[in-house]
């Protein structure tokens, strides 16, 4: 299979005017870049005229290096024009080196062709924990609608033209901020989110409490690392969303699975299992995967426990906007009188996942 064509990029090449022939130096530099992965297979090289201009050499110098690399099988020409790094480098040993360092096309070769592991480069304890809890990313190769696929909105109904017009209007007005902004996120966006959750979700917050993140998973990770010390106990819904558990384990938490019934997480069972837990993670509006909504009495019970225990509640409100009938209950954060609820929201389900936009109300 031919790799996806990449756009050309400037090449960082150093030539010694007092050294050997310039075309030979250029050949050696490009070949080295291909072997160590800086020029991966399928990468398009700049046109000879442009590269000659950038390096301050004649075009014949560049063509001489390109011709030699093509003759040895390192470069190839494509039908639509342009020179590309060959999809397979000509030497078997070098292909084995790429499989070890870059996971390239030869990554399925036997490990017998690779040098033994030295063991000098090891992950930290936290790194090993994160790796053990990680799941492969969801790769949607196409946007066809499939029944019962969780976490993916109706992408076929997205209003592309409206979105494009809104984006174009902002760019024409020069209203898109380009400089470094606040670490908490764009002020106007935070204000709009605060206004939305106050009106639509019954939250009680100011603009300053809103922090922009790349999605609910980063929000959970940030909240867990801020609120938990290694070894602290954390209630999790059983069954529940795997991403919550991954974030807590990565922060060093000790998970305490608490069963979920028709009214939501069973607070009484949680207190029996671990009354002094530091955190409780819940999705009260629409539990994942059972879909139940936590009752008002259960919400008040959970808040009362958190107040007594001095614990945090992470409220994952990932898709409360979707309802078949009636309006959803106000969020748990809106009932909180002691400031123990960290509210987490995302736009992945209401706009599209590739936007990578979520928020935390701290």
């Amino acid at each position: 299979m031919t790799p996806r064509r990449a756009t050309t990029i400037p090449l960082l090449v150093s030539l010694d005017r007092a050294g050997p022939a310039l075309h030979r130096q250029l050949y050696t530099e490009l070949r080295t870049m291909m072997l160590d992965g800086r020029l991966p297979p399928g990468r398009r090289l700049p046109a000879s005229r442009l590269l000659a201009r950038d390096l301050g050499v004649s075009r014949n110098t560049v063509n001489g290096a390109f011709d030699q690399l093509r003759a040895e099988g390192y470069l190839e020409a494509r039908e639509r024009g342009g020179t590309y790094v060959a999809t397979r480098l000509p030497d078997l040993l070098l292909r084995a080196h790429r499989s070890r360092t870059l996971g390239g096309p030869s990554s399925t070769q036997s490990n017998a062709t690779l040098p033994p592991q030295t063991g000098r480069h090891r992950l930290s304890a936290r790194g090993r924990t994160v790796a053990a809890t990680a799941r492969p990313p969801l790769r949607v190769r196409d946007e066809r609608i499939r029944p019962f696929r969780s976490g993916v909105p109706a992408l076929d109904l997205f209003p592309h033209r409206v979105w494009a017009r809104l984006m174009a209007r902002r760019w024409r007005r020069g209203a898109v901020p380009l400089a470094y902004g606040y670490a908490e996120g764009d002020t106007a966006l935070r204000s709009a989110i605060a206004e939305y959750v106050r009106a639509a979700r019954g939250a009680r917050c100011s603009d300053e409490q809103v922090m922009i993140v790349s999605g609910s998973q980063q929000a959970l990770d940030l909240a867990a690392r801020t609120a938990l010390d290694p070894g602290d106990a954390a209630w999790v819904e059983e069954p529940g969303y795997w991403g919550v558990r991954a974030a807590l384990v990565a922060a060093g938490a000790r998970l305490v699975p608490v069963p979920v019934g028709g009214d939501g997480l069973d607070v009484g069972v949680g207190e029996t299992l671990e009354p002094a837990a530091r955190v409780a993670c819940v999705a009260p509006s629409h539990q994942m995967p059972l879909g139940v909504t936590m009752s008002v009495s259960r919400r008040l019970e959970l808040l009362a426990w958190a107040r007594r225990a001095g614990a945090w509640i992470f409220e994952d409100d990932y898709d409360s906007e979707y309802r078949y009938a009636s309006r959803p209950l106000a969020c748990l954060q809106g009932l909180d009188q002691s400031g123990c609820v960290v509210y987490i929201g995302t736009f992945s389900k209401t706009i599209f996942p590739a936007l990578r936009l979520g928020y935390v109300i701290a």
Side-chain angles (χ1 to χ4, degrees):
M1 179 180 295
T2 302
R4 181 184 299 173
R5 187 173 73 178
T7 56
T8 59
I9 57 174
L11 299 181
L12 185 61
V13 175
S14 176
L15 300 179
D16 182 6
R17 305 288 173 173
L22 293 179
H23 78 277
R24 193 65 189 178
Q25 292 186 52
L26 180 58
Y27 158 84
T28 302
E29 286 274 324
L30 294 176
R31 181 174 176 272
T32 301
M33 293 171 72
M34 291 181 231
L35 300 184
D36 64 18
R38 286 177 289 164
L39 282 177
R43 171 69 68 185
R44 183 177 183 178
L45 270 63
S48 59
R49 181 181 290 104
L50 296 178
L51 185 56
R53 184 196 63 192
D54 292 343
L55 298 177
V57 298
S58 71
R59 192 178 178 189
N60 288 337
T61 297
V62 176
N63 286 333
F66 280 14
D67 289 344
Q68 183 65 31
L69 290 167
R70 270 193 295 267
E72 295 181 8
Y74 290 97
L75 296 181
E76 58 186 27
R78 301 279 177 85
E79 294 180 359
R80 297 185 179 181
T83 301
Y84 297 78
V85 178
T87 55
R88 289 185 178 276
L89 299 181
D91 187 89
L92 176 63
L93 176 61
L94 298 177
R95 290 205 305 272
H97 172 73
R98 285 206 76 260
S99 72
R100 177 170 60 88
T101 58
L102 299 175
S106 58
S107 59
T108 57
Q109 293 186 27
S110 170
N111 289 335
T113 63
L114 303 179
Q117 295 291 324
T118 63
R120 297 192 311 179
H121 301 92
R122 298 180 183 275
L123 293 176
S124 66
R126 182 175 186 275
R128 292 194 297 272
T129 300
V130 172
T133 58
R135 281 194 174 189
L138 175 63
R139 292 186 174 91
V140 182
R141 296 296 184 184
D142 55 62
E143 297 185 351
R144 292 176 295 176
I145 301 303
R146 298 172 186 266
F148 307 112
R149 173 187 282 171
S150 63
V152 181
L155 301 176
D156 59 323
L157 301 180
F158 183 78
H160 294 87
R161 293 183 179 179
V162 174
W163 182 267
R165 286 200 301 269
L166 293 173
M167 291 292 293
R169 183 189 306 168
R170 296 284 291 179
W171 278 105
R172 284 196 301 269
R173 293 176 179 175
V176 180
L178 301 179
Y180 292 108
Y182 294 106
E184 298 87 352
D186 179 71
T187 303
L189 177 59
R190 293 165 64 199
S191 177
I193 290 174
E195 181 180 359
Y196 165 73
V197 295
R198 287 194 296 261
R201 300 296 298 118
R204 301 194 305 174
C205 67
S206 64
D207 299 359
E208 290 74 19
Q209 288 176 257
V210 179
M211 177 181 294
I212 307 301
V213 291
S214 67
S216 58
Q217 196 63 39
Q218 187 191 17
L220 288 165
D221 177 73
L222 179 61
R225 287 189 289 115
T226 304
L228 289 164
D229 290 318
D232 283 347
W235 291 1
V236 293
E237 296 174 321
E238 177 60 39
Y241 174 51
W242 71 268
V244 171
R245 300 176 182 230
L248 294 173
V249 170
R254 176 170 54 87
L255 302 186
V256 180
V258 179
V260 175
D263 289 330
L265 180 133
D266 194 323
V267 178
V269 173
E271 288 195 89
T272 300
L273 295 173
E274 184 56 71
R278 183 67 176 162
V279 161
C281 296
V282 293
S285 296
H286 185 208
Q287 202 272 340
M288 173 71 180
L290 299 182
V292 301
T293 298
M294 184 179 287
S295 65
V296 174
S297 60
R298 188 62 59 82
R299 293 174 188 230
L300 295 176
E301 187 181 355
L302 180 61
L303 288 169
W305 163 79
R307 191 163 50 248
R308 291 193 305 269
W312 295 97
I313 299 174
F314 296 167
E315 180 179 10
D316 185 8
D317 199 20
Y318 64 98
D319 72 344
S320 62
E321 292 84 0
Y322 292 109
R323 302 284 293 182
Y324 286 111
S326 76
R327 291 179 56 83
L329 292 174
C331 65
L332 185 64
Q333 193 266 1
L335 301 174
D336 179 21
Q337 299 292 328
S338 59
C340 64
V341 176
V342 177
Y343 181 88
I344 295 169
T346 177
F347 294 104
S348 293
K349 313 300 183 295
T350 53
I351 304 182
F352 55 89
L355 187 62
R356 303 304 305 156
L357 187 64
Y359 55 93
V360 178
I361 298 178

